[in-house]
Amino acid sequence: MEEEEPLLTGSINRGSGDYGSQDNGEHYHHEESPESRRLSYSATDDSYPVYKDADLCIQQAVVFIEDAIQYRSINHRVDSGSLRLYRWYYSKICQWGLGFTIAVVLGLAFIEKPSSLTYTSDIRFKPKPWEPPCGLTEGIEMVCLCIFILDVTVKTYLIGWEEFRMNKWLIGYTVVIAASVVDWMLSISMMCSESLRVRRLIRPFFLLQNSSLMKKTLKCVKRTLPEIASVILLLGLHICLFTMIGMLIFAKSDDPKKNGEWETYFKNLPKALSSLLVLLTTANNPDVMIPAYSLNRGYSIFFILFSVFGTYLLMNLMTAIIYNQFRGYLLMSVQTSIIRRRLGIRAAFEVLCCPGRGHTSTQSEGHVERVAVNMFLQVMDRVHMKSYWREAIIKAAQQFPDGFINGEAFQRLFNELDKDFMKEHPPKPVYSSPVLQHIQIIYSHFYITVLGNVVALANVICICTVLVLDSEKSGLEKNNFYMEILNCIFILYYLIEMLLKIVAFGWRGYLSYRNNIFDGFLTVLLLAIQIAIFITYRIPYEKVDPVPGHVMALWEMVRLVNMLIVFRFLRIIPEIKLMAVVASTLVDLVKNLRAFAGILLVVYYMFAVLGIWLFQGAITPPSNTSLIFNANVENKTDGPFSMDCGTFEQLEYWPNNFDDFASSLVLLYNIMVVNNWHVFTDAYTRYTTEWSLVYFVAWWLTSSVMWVNLFVALILE
């Protein structure tokens, strides 16, 4: 998939190695003859004359304009058959199908062995998961691989062999597909009994290569890595220096009462390094200094200096470096997108200037080219674009009195693409009845919306009051009668409000407001659930069996209604200006950070697969299960099991493991948050080896240090 957003795009230099990213500006040298200029749009050494007939000119112009709209490169084959294939490839159904295929092949990790299809990941209670029979997931995967083979074949044909040889991403795409097919064949030959599937680790490449935004983002991250590495080396030096000083200060004493700090945190070099590394993230502060601080308050200076230089100076320096690298990145990406759009529009103009096809030349003033409006209108009828853009451009084109458009005016026509569409609401219906006219006047007023928000607030307050009063009652103990009466009253008001607004604005007018769609959908849903409660439990009778064997207990249905009512209260956000601005900013952030979230997803996926390879089944509960549930039992068992305060076992972190893909993702997220992440590192070093710390530190550096700082830098930008 090529670039479709104006933000977060990269350079279009040939050296970038991205598909279709060469410098298209070289195509337009006005010193060339008209014939040579119109032969310059081929992606290969073969030239496709663009002036064979008017239909080919129109077809080429349509594709170039669509390239401009989607910010795609115009460097591709332009013969009639290739253009039809090109438009089919970039059609919505094709791109959505390719995206769905990528989602399917990535989602196979959840059902492949080890399967994540269990209700819990707690190894104490986890049932044996359903394992798909051999050939099921492999068959699905082969279908996906065949689609990827077709995808890379079409891309290679459209851009040409020469361009393919210079495109590292497409070459990598081919290599990954080939490696996946070979690994798939090995799986089939071994009857799916192999424990290591290399293709699982390289599957995220399919997501990366399909997004131009992610490729540009990776390029920018690659540019930032040298300076990040320098700060990481400085952090390492900082930790090593303080580790040696700490081991000297907190050496083993002859008095056992003074060995608390040494015994817990500085007993050996690996333990001292890991303790200070965790302190860098503040996850074990102030626990790490309490044994020493209780002996002498002066020992606190060591830990304070470590945190000041490491946490507050070096870690914030990392954020500053990343921000400095990405400063102006969004502006540069917008400029690059504008260049791509202008090149596409100029290319469309050039191919429409065919001799005898609406082109006129004035030799006295050099070379002046114009396009006939009639031909331009034929092009616009074929272009796939939003209807309001098409209408605005066609309306502007019809304003030319002589029936021709020059190059500069042709570019200005497409300035409409940069304008926001102001949606016009349908006119209100006209009523002859005085009653309906009064209803229309009242329910079209802004104060009705304010009243609706006040009623919604009162409903939420009622729910909060009941929750506070019944907070310590179980579902069997709660009396839902009064809550149901309140819900009926409020839902009845919501229904009346919705119906009267429909009368005031009409169906089309009512649905033209997003707030009304949100309110109406939830109101209908609440009404349906309330009717189901009436049918099932015959409320408002006070004496009802709370759980009479129905699909859902009464309390569960009431709770569902309350959750929907609370959710409906979000309708106030657009009515409060400052809150609406913040909400719209958050929505824009989500749109602009999709590429970075996608790369983070790729990193999560790869580390989760690695974690399964390295640590699947590493942590097992002890055979004496009574130890698990009794935190007061002294730790007298042999082996890695420990019930010491603050350990993995004592905190009952059993659901956090690498026994399947879903639990691996959750564990990686918990480590990225860095709260209590040392509990996981301690457990896996005890159950496996101290070298396991390398994996967790690598994940911490990648996710928490690099990507979180990257998100902060981009939000600031």
Side-chain angles (χ1 to χ4, degrees), residues 251-264 295:
K252 186 176 181 180
S253 173
D254 295 332
D255 186 358
K257 296 181 180 180
K258 297 181 180 180
N259 286 334
E261 189 73 33
W262 171 82
E263 179 71 27
T264 309
L295 297 176

Side-chain angles (χ1 to χ4, degrees), residues 38 352-361 367-370 372 404:
R38 295 178 193 117
L352 290 176
C353 292
C354 301
R357 309 291 186 186
H359 167 265
T360 60
S361 299
H367 188 69
V368 179
E369 298 174 329
R370 296 191 299 173
F404 290 94

Side-chain angles (χ1 to χ4, degrees), residues 289-359:
M289 76 173 185
I290 291 300
Y293 185 52
S294 63
L295 297 176
N296 191 321
R297 69 177 73 227
Y299 286 131
S300 63
I301 298 175
F302 170 83
F303 298 99
I304 292 173
L305 288 176
F306 177 84
S307 296
V308 168
F309 283 101
T311 305
Y312 297 108
L313 292 182
L314 293 178
M315 295 298 288
N316 287 320
L317 180 62
M318 180 86 68
T319 304
I321 287 175
I322 295 176
Y323 173 70
N324 183 63
Q325 287 294 325
F326 277 83
R327 186 174 56 189
Y329 178 51
L330 295 179
L331 179 61
M332 181 186 68
S333 66
V334 172
Q335 293 172 341
T336 304
S337 299
I338 292 174
I339 292 174
R340 285 194 174 210
R341 174 166 286 179
R342 292 182 66 85
L343 287 175
I345 294 170
R346 180 64 184 180
F349 177 79
E350 290 287 335
V351 297
L352 290 176
C353 292
C354 301
R357 309 291 186 186
H359 167 265

